[in-house]
Amino acid sequence: SAVISQKPSRDICQRGTSLTIQCQVDSQVTMMFWYRQQPGQSLTLIATANQGSEATYESGFVIDKFPISRPNLTFSTLTVSNMSPEDSSIYLCSVAGGGTDTQYFGPGTRLTVL
Amino acid sequence: GQQVMQIPQYQHVQEGEDFTTYCNSSTTLSNIQWYKQRPGGHPVFLIQLVKSGEVKKQKRLTFQFGEAKKNSSLHITATQTTDVGTYFCAGLGSWGKLQFGAGTQVVVTP
């Protein structure tokens, strides 16, 4: 399985600011995803990060709020824009590939918005 | 919309006891996957079931996929404190994306 790192691991941010989360994989992967996990809840898919093109967003998530970049097959960023306390959550990137849809998750970024 | 439902949401188990968590989908699944998330950790892949009626074992964990490929179960025997965490099922359906269940949070009492 791939080794995935995320930066930052946690942050405390002020309302109205933006935070960019980085996801780095140690090998080239086909699929990269961004999830949100609110405290004590399940995982909600935000979007699929597509290499070289715009991300594919799930219902309820929009590019203006969660812009995503994926410049190559090993790296992606998720920005949480104009944050409010409701954005406090754990943000996880995951990867899949090699002909399988099994997903491997990064360690997550724990975000608190004051 | 497509949904994957998981019960119970919370399971309190005495060490040494068995328990089962169940996963149900409203539609037929291509496969079902199970993940474990330790407290403070991230989800870790456990297993994938693809075939109708499939049963797989990992030590004390037994995973089953229903004949109609709409439900699945995870049974843990002789629970240990290392089994603490939240177990998620995730179904891959015709919608093409993995849909996670709500998870079963397992607390083990020594």
Side-chain angles (χ1 to χ4, degrees), chain B residues 26-98:
Chain B
S26 54
T27 58
T28 303
L29 300 169
S30 301
N31 68 58
I32 195 147
Q33 301 172 26
W34 286 88
Y35 294 78
K36 177 183 179 181
Q37 185 174 25
R38 294 182 185 275
H42 58 276
V44 174
F45 172 75
L46 293 177
I47 209 155
Q48 177 175 275
L49 303 168
V50 180
K51 299 176 185 174
S52 168
E54 189 169 13
V55 178
K56 287 188 177 180
K57 291 192 175 185
Q58 287 181 351
K59 298 183 181 177
R60 295 177 293 102
L61 278 60
T62 302
F63 304 84
Q64 283 190 298
F65 201 8
E67 294 290 339
K69 299 182 72 173
K70 287 186 175 182
N71 55 71
S72 181
S73 65
L74 160 59
H75 181 78
I76 300 183
T77 57
T79 306
Q80 299 176 0
T81 54
T82 53
D83 295 324
V84 164
T86 301
Y87 293 83
F88 292 98
C89 64
L92 183 68
S94 57
W95 55 91
K97 297 187 184 81
L98 216 51

Coordinates of all heavy atoms in Angstrom, one line a residue, chain B residues 26-98:
Chain B
S26 N -29.4 -0.3 0.1 CA -30.7 -0.3 -0.6 C -30.6 -0.9 -2.0 O -31.6 -1.2 -2.6 CB -31.3 1.1 -0.6 OG -30.3 2.0 -1.2
T27 N -29.4 -0.9 -2.5 CA -29.2 -1.5 -3.9 C -28.0 -2.5 -3.9 O -27.3 -2.6 -3.0 CB -28.8 -0.3 -4.9 OG1 -27.6 0.3 -4.4 CG2 -29.9 0.7 -5.0
T28 N -28.0 -3.3 -5.0 CA -26.9 -4.3 -5.1 C -25.6 -3.6 -5.2 O -25.4 -2.6 -5.9 CB -27.2 -5.1 -6.4 OG1 -28.5 -5.7 -6.2 CG2 -26.2 -6.2 -6.5
L29 N -24.6 -4.2 -4.5 CA -23.2 -3.7 -4.5 C -22.3 -4.5 -5.4 O -22.4 -5.7 -5.5 CB -22.7 -3.7 -3.1 CG -23.5 -2.8 -2.1 CD1 -23.0 -3.1 -0.7 CD2 -23.4 -1.4 -2.4
S30 N -21.3 -3.8 -6.0 CA -20.3 -4.5 -6.7 C -19.3 -5.1 -5.7 O -18.9 -6.3 -6.0 CB -19.5 -3.5 -7.6 OG -20.3 -2.8 -8.5
N31 N -19.0 -4.5 -4.7 CA -18.2 -5.0 -3.6 C -18.5 -4.3 -2.3 O -19.1 -3.2 -2.4 CB -16.7 -5.0 -4.0 CG -16.1 -3.7 -4.0 OD1 -16.1 -2.9 -3.0 ND2 -15.5 -3.3 -5.1
I32 N -18.0 -4.8 -1.3 CA -18.1 -4.1 0.0 C -16.7 -4.2 0.7 O -16.1 -5.3 0.6 CB -19.2 -4.7 0.9 CG1 -19.5 -3.7 2.1 CG2 -18.9 -6.1 1.5 CD1 -20.9 -3.7 2.5
Q33 N -16.4 -3.2 1.3 CA -15.1 -3.1 2.0 C -15.3 -2.7 3.5 O -16.3 -2.1 3.8 CB -14.2 -2.0 1.4 CG -14.0 -2.3 -0.1 CD -13.3 -1.1 -0.8 OE1 -12.6 -0.3 -0.2 NE2 -13.5 -1.0 -2.1
W34 N -14.4 -3.2 4.3 CA -14.4 -2.9 5.7 C -13.1 -2.2 6.1 O -12.0 -2.5 5.7 CB -14.6 -4.2 6.5 CG -16.0 -4.7 6.5 CD1 -16.5 -5.6 5.5 CD2 -17.1 -4.4 7.3 NE1 -17.8 -5.9 5.8 CE2 -18.2 -5.2 6.9 CE3 -17.2 -3.6 8.5 CZ2 -19.4 -5.1 7.5 CZ3 -18.5 -3.6 9.1 CH2 -19.6 -4.3 8.7
Y35 N -13.3 -1.1 7.0 CA -12.2 -0.3 7.4 C -12.3 -0.2 9.0 O -13.4 -0.3 9.5 CB -12.2 1.1 6.9 CG -12.0 1.1 5.4 CD1 -13.0 0.8 4.5 CD2 -10.8 1.5 4.9 CE1 -12.8 0.9 3.1 CE2 -10.6 1.6 3.5 CZ -11.6 1.2 2.6 OH -11.4 1.3 1.3
K36 N -11.1 -0.1 9.6 CA -11.1 0.1 11.0 C -10.4 1.5 11.3 O -9.3 1.7 10.8 CB -10.4 -1.0 11.8 CG -10.3 -0.8 13.3 CD -9.5 -1.9 13.9 CE -9.3 -1.7 15.4 NZ -8.5 -2.7 16.1
Q37 N -11.0 2.2 12.2 CA -10.4 3.5 12.6 C -10.2 3.5 14.1 O -11.1 3.5 14.9 CB -11.3 4.7 12.2 CG -10.6 6.1 12.5 CD -11.5 7.2 11.9 OE1 -12.7 7.0 11.7 NE2 -10.9 8.3 11.6
R38 N -8.9 3.5 14.5 CA -8.6 3.5 16.0 C -8.9 4.9 16.5 O -8.8 5.9 15.7 CB -7.2 3.1 16.2 CG -6.9 1.7 15.9 CD -5.4 1.4 16.2 NE -5.1 0.0 15.8 CZ -5.3 -1.1 16.5 NH1 -5.9 -1.0 17.7 NH2 -4.9 -2.2 16.1
P39 N -9.1 5.1 17.7 CA -9.4 6.5 18.3 C -8.2 7.4 18.0 O -7.0 7.0 18.2 CB -9.5 6.2 19.8 CG -10.0 4.8 19.9 CD -9.4 4.1 18.8
G40 N -8.5 8.5 17.4 CA -7.4 9.5 17.0 C -6.7 9.1 15.7 O -5.8 9.8 15.3
G41 N -7.0 8.0 15.1 CA -6.4 7.6 13.9 C -7.2 7.8 12.6 O -8.2 8.5 12.6
H42 N -6.7 7.2 11.5 CA -7.4 7.3 10.3 C -7.9 5.9 9.9 O -7.4 4.9 10.4 CB -6.4 7.9 9.2 CG -5.2 7.0 9.0 ND1 -4.1 7.2 9.7 CD2 -4.9 6.1 8.1 CE1 -3.2 6.3 9.3 NE2 -3.7 5.6 8.3
P43 N -8.9 5.9 9.0 CA -9.4 4.6 8.6 C -8.3 3.7 7.9 O -7.6 4.2 7.0 CB -10.5 4.9 7.6 CG -10.9 6.3 7.9 CD -9.6 7.0 8.4
V44 N -8.3 2.4 8.2 CA -7.3 1.5 7.7 C -8.1 0.4 7.0 O -9.0 -0.2 7.7 CB -6.4 1.0 8.8 CG1 -5.5 -0.1 8.2 CG2 -5.6 2.1 9.4
F45 N -7.8 0.1 5.8 CA -8.5 -1.0 5.1 C -8.3 -2.4 5.7 O -7.1 -2.7 6.1 CB -7.9 -1.0 3.6 CG -8.4 -2.2 2.8 CD1 -9.7 -2.2 2.3 CD2 -7.6 -3.2 2.5 CE1 -10.1 -3.3 1.5 CE2 -8.0 -4.3 1.8 CZ -9.3 -4.3 1.3
L46 N -9.4 -3.1 5.9 CA -9.3 -4.4 6.4 C -9.4 -5.5 5.3 O -8.6 -6.4 5.2 CB -10.4 -4.7 7.5 CG -10.3 -3.8 8.8 CD1 -11.5 -4.1 9.7 CD2 -9.0 -4.1 9.5
I47 N -10.5 -5.4 4.6 CA -10.8 -6.5 3.6 C -11.8 -6.0 2.6 O -12.6 -5.0 2.8 CB -11.4 -7.7 4.4 CG1 -11.0 -9.0 3.7 CG2 -12.9 -7.6 4.6 CD1 -11.0 -10.2 4.6
Q48 N -11.9 -6.7 1.5 CA -12.9 -6.5 0.5 C -13.5 -7.8 0.1 O -12.9 -8.8 -0.1 CB -12.2 -5.9 -0.8 CG -13.2 -5.7 -2.0 CD -12.5 -5.0 -3.1 OE1 -12.4 -3.8 -3.2 NE2 -12.1 -5.7 -4.1
L49 N -14.9 -7.7 0.0 CA -15.7 -8.9 -0.5 C -16.3 -8.5 -1.8 O -16.9 -7.5 -2.0 CB -16.7 -9.2 0.6 CG -16.2 -9.4 2.0 CD1 -17.4 -9.4 3.0 CD2 -15.5 -10.7 2.1
V50 N -16.2 -9.5 -2.7 CA -16.7 -9.2 -4.1 C -17.8 -10.2 -4.5 O -18.8 -9.8 -5.1 CB -15.6 -9.3 -5.1 CG1 -16.1 -9.1 -6.5 CG2 -14.5 -8.3 -4.7
K51 N -17.7 -11.5 -4.1 CA -18.6 -12.5 -4.6 C -19.8 -12.7 -3.7 O -19.7 -12.5 -2.5 CB -17.9 -13.8 -4.7 CG -16.7 -13.8 -5.6 CD -16.0 -15.1 -5.6 CE -14.7 -15.1 -6.4 NZ -13.9 -16.4 -6.3
S52 N -20.9 -13.0 -4.3 CA -22.1 -13.3 -3.6 C -21.9 -14.5 -2.6 O -21.3 -15.5 -2.9 CB -23.2 -13.7 -4.6 OG -24.3 -14.3 -3.9
G53 N -22.3 -14.2 -1.3 CA -22.1 -15.3 -0.3 C -20.7 -15.5 0.2 O -20.4 -16.4 1.0
E54 N -19.8 -14.6 -0.2 CA -18.4 -14.8 0.2 C -18.2 -14.6 1.7 O -18.8 -13.8 2.3 CB -17.5 -13.7 -0.6 CG -16.0 -13.9 -0.4 CD -15.3 -13.0 -1.4 OE1 -15.9 -12.1 -2.0 OE2 -14.1 -13.3 -1.6
V55 N -17.3 -15.4 2.2 CA -16.9 -15.4 3.6 C -15.4 -15.3 3.7 O -14.7 -16.1 3.0 CB -17.4 -16.6 4.4 CG1 -16.9 -16.5 5.9 CG2 -18.9 -16.7 4.4
K56 N -14.8 -14.4 4.4 CA -13.4 -14.3 4.6 C -13.1 -14.1 6.1 O -13.9 -13.5 6.8 CB -12.8 -13.1 3.8 CG -12.8 -13.3 2.3 CD -12.0 -12.1 1.7 CE -11.9 -12.3 0.2 NZ -11.2 -11.2 -0.5
K57 N -11.9 -14.7 6.5 CA -11.5 -14.6 7.9 C -10.2 -14.0 8.0 O -9.3 -14.2 7.2 CB -11.5 -16.0 8.5 CG -12.9 -16.6 8.7 CD -12.9 -17.9 9.5 CE -14.3 -18.4 9.8 NZ -14.3 -19.5 10.7
Q58 N -10.0 -13.2 9.0 CA -8.7 -12.6 9.4 C -8.6 -12.9 10.9 O -9.2 -12.1 11.7 CB -8.7 -11.1 9.2 CG -8.5 -10.7 7.7 CD -8.4 -9.2 7.5 OE1 -8.6 -8.4 8.5 NE2 -8.1 -8.8 6.3
K59 N -8.0 -13.9 11.3 CA -7.8 -14.3 12.7 C -9.2 -14.3 13.4 O -10.0 -15.2 13.1 CB -6.9 -13.3 13.4 CG -5.5 -13.3 12.8 CD -4.5 -12.3 13.6 CE -3.2 -12.4 12.9 NZ -2.2 -11.4 13.6
R60 N -9.5 -13.4 14.3 CA -10.7 -13.5 15.0 C -11.9 -12.8 14.3 O -13.0 -12.7 14.8 CB -10.6 -12.9 16.4 CG -9.6 -13.7 17.3 CD -9.4 -13.1 18.7 NE -8.7 -11.8 18.5 CZ -9.3 -10.6 18.6 NH1 -10.6 -10.5 18.8 NH2 -8.6 -9.5 18.4
L61 N -11.6 -12.2 13.2 CA -12.6 -11.4 12.4 C -13.1 -12.3 11.3 O -12.4 -12.8 10.5 CB -12.0 -10.2 11.9 CG -11.9 -8.9 12.8 CD1 -11.0 -9.2 14.0 CD2 -11.3 -7.7 12.0
T62 N -14.5 -12.3 11.2 CA -15.1 -13.1 10.0 C -16.0 -12.1 9.3 O -16.9 -11.4 9.9 CB -15.9 -14.2 10.5 OG1 -15.1 -15.1 11.3 CG2 -16.6 -15.0 9.4
F63 N -15.8 -12.0 8.0 CA -16.5 -11.1 7.2 C -17.4 -11.9 6.2 O -17.0 -12.9 5.6 CB -15.6 -10.2 6.3 CG -14.6 -9.4 7.1 CD1 -13.4 -10.0 7.5 CD2 -14.8 -8.1 7.5 CE1 -12.5 -9.3 8.3 CE2 -13.9 -7.4 8.2 CZ -12.7 -7.9 8.6
Q64 N -18.7 -11.4 6.0 CA -19.6 -12.1 5.1 C -20.2 -11.1 4.2 O -20.5 -10.0 4.6 CB -20.7 -12.8 5.9 CG -20.3 -14.1 6.6 CD -21.5 -14.9 7.1 OE1 -22.2 -14.3 8.0 NE2 -21.7 -16.1 6.7
F65 N -20.5 -11.6 3.0 CA -21.2 -10.8 2.0 C -22.4 -11.6 1.6 O -22.4 -12.8 1.4 CB -20.3 -10.6 0.7 CG -20.7 -9.5 -0.2 CD1 -21.7 -8.5 0.2 CD2 -20.1 -9.3 -1.4 CE1 -22.0 -7.4 -0.6 CE2 -20.4 -8.2 -2.2 CZ -21.4 -7.3 -1.8
G66 N -23.6 -10.9 1.7 CA -24.9 -11.6 1.5 C -25.0 -12.2 0.1 O -24.4 -11.7 -0.9
E67 N -26.0 -13.1 0.0 CA -26.2 -13.7 -1.3 C -26.7 -12.7 -2.4 O -26.4 -12.8 -3.5 CB -27.3 -14.8 -1.2 CG -26.8 -16.0 -0.3 CD -25.7 -16.9 -1.0 OE1 -25.6 -16.8 -2.3 OE2 -25.0 -17.6 -0.3
A68 N -27.5 -11.8 -1.9 CA -28.0 -10.8 -2.8 C -27.0 -9.6 -3.0 O -27.3 -8.6 -3.8 CB -29.3 -10.2 -2.3
K69 N -25.9 -9.6 -2.4 CA -24.9 -8.6 -2.4 C -25.5 -7.2 -2.0 O -25.1 -6.2 -2.6 CB -24.3 -8.5 -3.8 CG -23.5 -9.8 -4.2 CD -22.9 -9.7 -5.6 CE -21.7 -8.9 -5.6 NZ -20.9 -8.9 -6.8
K70 N -26.3 -7.3 -1.0 CA -26.9 -6.0 -0.5 C -26.5 -5.9 1.0 O -26.8 -4.8 1.6 CB -28.4 -6.0 -0.6 CG -28.9 -5.8 -2.0 CD -30.4 -5.7 -2.0 CE -30.9 -5.3 -3.4 NZ -32.4 -5.1 -3.4
N71 N -26.0 -6.9 1.6 CA -25.7 -6.8 3.0 C -24.4 -7.5 3.4 O -23.9 -8.4 2.6 CB -26.8 -7.3 3.9 CG -27.2 -8.7 3.6 OD1 -26.5 -9.6 3.9 ND2 -28.4 -8.8 2.9
S72 N -23.8 -7.1 4.5 CA -22.6 -7.7 4.9 C -22.5 -7.7 6.4 O -23.3 -6.9 7.1 CB -21.4 -6.9 4.3 OG -20.2 -7.4 4.7
S73 N -21.7 -8.5 7.0 CA -21.5 -8.5 8.4 C -20.0 -8.7 8.8 O -19.3 -9.3 8.0 CB -22.4 -9.5 9.1 OG -21.9 -10.8 8.7
L74 N -19.7 -8.2 9.9 CA -18.3 -8.4 10.5 C -18.6 -9.0 11.9 O -19.2 -8.3 12.7 CB -17.6 -7.1 10.6 CG -16.4 -7.0 11.6 CD1 -15.4 -8.1 11.3 CD2 -15.8 -5.6 11.6
H75 N -18.0 -10.1 12.1 CA -18.2 -10.8 13.4 C -16.8 -10.9 14.1 O -15.9 -11.4 13.4 CB -18.8 -12.2 13.2 CG -19.0 -12.9 14.5 ND1 -20.1 -12.7 15.4 CD2 -18.3 -14.0 15.1 CE1 -20.0 -13.5 16.4 NE2 -18.9 -14.3 16.3
I76 N -16.7 -10.5 15.3 CA -15.4 -10.6 16.0 C -15.6 -11.5 17.2 O -16.6 -11.4 18.0 CB -14.9 -9.2 16.5 CG1 -14.7 -8.3 15.3 CG2 -13.6 -9.4 17.3 CD1 -14.1 -6.9 15.7
T77 N -14.8 -12.5 17.3 CA -14.9 -13.5 18.4 C -13.8 -13.2 19.5 O -12.8 -12.6 19.2 CB -14.7 -14.9 17.9 OG1 -13.4 -15.0 17.3 CG2 -15.7 -15.4 16.9
A78 N -14.2 -13.5 20.7 CA -13.3 -13.3 21.8 C -12.6 -11.9 21.8 O -11.4 -11.8 21.7 CB -12.2 -14.4 21.8
T79 N -13.4 -10.9 21.9 CA -13.0 -9.5 21.7 C -11.8 -9.2 22.7 O -11.8 -9.6 23.9 CB -14.2 -8.5 22.0 OG1 -15.2 -8.9 21.2 CG2 -13.8 -7.1 21.8
Q80 N -10.9 -8.4 22.2 CA -9.7 -8.0 23.0 C -9.7 -6.5 23.0 O -10.3 -5.8 22.2 CB -8.4 -8.5 22.3 CG -8.3 -10.0 22.3 CD -7.1 -10.5 21.6 OE1 -6.3 -9.8 21.1 NE2 -7.0 -11.9 21.5
T81 N -8.9 -5.9 23.9 CA -8.9 -4.5 24.0 C -8.3 -3.8 22.8 O -8.6 -2.7 22.4 CB -8.0 -4.0 25.2 OG1 -6.8 -4.6 25.2 CG2 -8.7 -4.4 26.5
T82 N -7.5 -4.6 22.0 CA -7.0 -4.1 20.7 C -8.0 -3.9 19.7 O -7.8 -3.3 18.6 CB -5.9 -5.0 20.2 OG1 -6.4 -6.4 20.2 CG2 -4.6 -5.0 21.1
D83 N -9.2 -4.5 19.9 CA -10.3 -4.3 18.9 C -11.0 -3.0 19.0 O -11.9 -2.7 18.2 CB -11.3 -5.5 19.1 CG -10.7 -6.8 18.8 OD1 -9.9 -6.9 17.9 OD2 -11.0 -7.8 19.5
V84 N -10.7 -2.2 20.0 CA -11.3 -0.9 20.2 C -11.2 0.0 19.0 O -10.1 0.0 18.3 CB -10.7 -0.2 21.4 CG1 -11.1 1.3 21.4 CG2 -11.2 -0.8 22.7
G85 N -12.2 0.6 18.6 CA -12.2 1.5 17.4 C -13.5 1.6 16.8 O -14.5 1.1 17.3
T86 N -13.6 2.3 15.6 CA -14.8 2.3 14.9 C -14.6 1.5 13.6 O -13.6 1.7 12.9 CB -15.2 3.8 14.5 OG1 -15.3 4.5 15.8 CG2 -16.5 3.9 13.8
Y87 N -15.6 0.7 13.3 CA -15.5 -0.2 12.1 C -16.5 0.4 11.1 O -17.7 0.5 11.4 CB -15.9 -1.6 12.5 CG -14.8 -2.3 13.4 CD1 -14.8 -2.0 14.7 CD2 -13.8 -3.0 12.8 CE1 -13.9 -2.6 15.6 CE2 -12.8 -3.6 13.6 CZ -12.9 -3.4 15.0 OH -11.9 -3.9 15.8
F88 N -16.0 0.7 9.9 CA -16.8 1.2 8.8 C -17.0 0.2 7.7 O -16.0 -0.4 7.3 CB -16.2 2.4 8.2 CG -16.2 3.6 9.1 CD1 -15.1 4.0 9.8 CD2 -17.3 4.5 9.2 CE1 -15.0 5.1 10.6 CE2 -17.3 5.6 10.1 CZ -16.2 5.9 10.8
C89 N -18.2 0.0 7.2 CA -18.3 -0.7 6.0 C -18.4 0.3 4.9 O -18.8 1.5 5.2 CB -19.5 -1.6 6.0 SG -21.1 -0.8 6.1
A90 N -18.1 0.0 3.7 CA -18.1 0.9 2.6 C -18.5 0.1 1.3 O -17.8 -0.9 1.0 CB -16.8 1.6 2.3
G91 N -19.6 0.5 0.7 CA -20.1 -0.2 -0.4 C -19.8 0.5 -1.7 O -19.9 1.7 -1.8
L92 N -19.5 -0.3 -2.7 CA -19.3 0.3 -4.1 C -20.5 -0.2 -4.9 O -20.7 -1.4 -5.1 CB -18.0 -0.2 -4.7 CG -17.7 0.3 -6.1 CD1 -17.3 1.8 -6.0 CD2 -16.5 -0.4 -6.7
G93 N -21.2 0.8 -5.3 CA -22.4 0.4 -6.1 C -22.4 1.0 -7.5 O -21.4 1.4 -8.0
S94 N -23.6 1.0 -8.1 CA -23.7 1.4 -9.5 C -23.3 2.9 -9.6 O -23.1 3.4 -10.7 CB -25.1 1.2 -10.0 OG -26.1 1.8 -9.2
W95 N -23.4 3.6 -8.5 CA -23.1 5.0 -8.6 C -21.6 5.3 -8.7 O -21.2 6.4 -9.0 CB -23.6 5.7 -7.3 CG -23.1 5.1 -6.0 CD1 -22.0 5.5 -5.3 CD2 -23.7 4.1 -5.3 NE1 -21.9 4.7 -4.2 CE2 -22.9 3.8 -4.1 CE3 -24.9 3.3 -5.5 CZ2 -23.2 2.9 -3.2 CZ3 -25.2 2.3 -4.5 CH2 -24.4 2.1 -3.4
G96 N -20.8 4.2 -8.6 CA -19.4 4.3 -9.0 C -18.4 4.8 -7.9 O -17.2 5.0 -8.1
K97 N -19.0 5.2 -6.7 CA -18.1 5.7 -5.7 C -18.4 4.9 -4.4 O -19.4 4.3 -4.2 CB -18.4 7.2 -5.4 CG -18.1 8.1 -6.6 CD -18.3 9.5 -6.2 CE -18.1 10.4 -7.4 NZ -19.3 10.5 -8.2
L98 N -17.4 4.9 -3.5 CA -17.5 4.2 -2.3 C -18.4 5.0 -1.3 O -18.2 6.2 -1.1 CB -16.1 4.1 -1.7 CG -15.7 2.8 -0.9 CD1 -16.0 1.6 -1.7 CD2 -14.2 2.9 -0.6

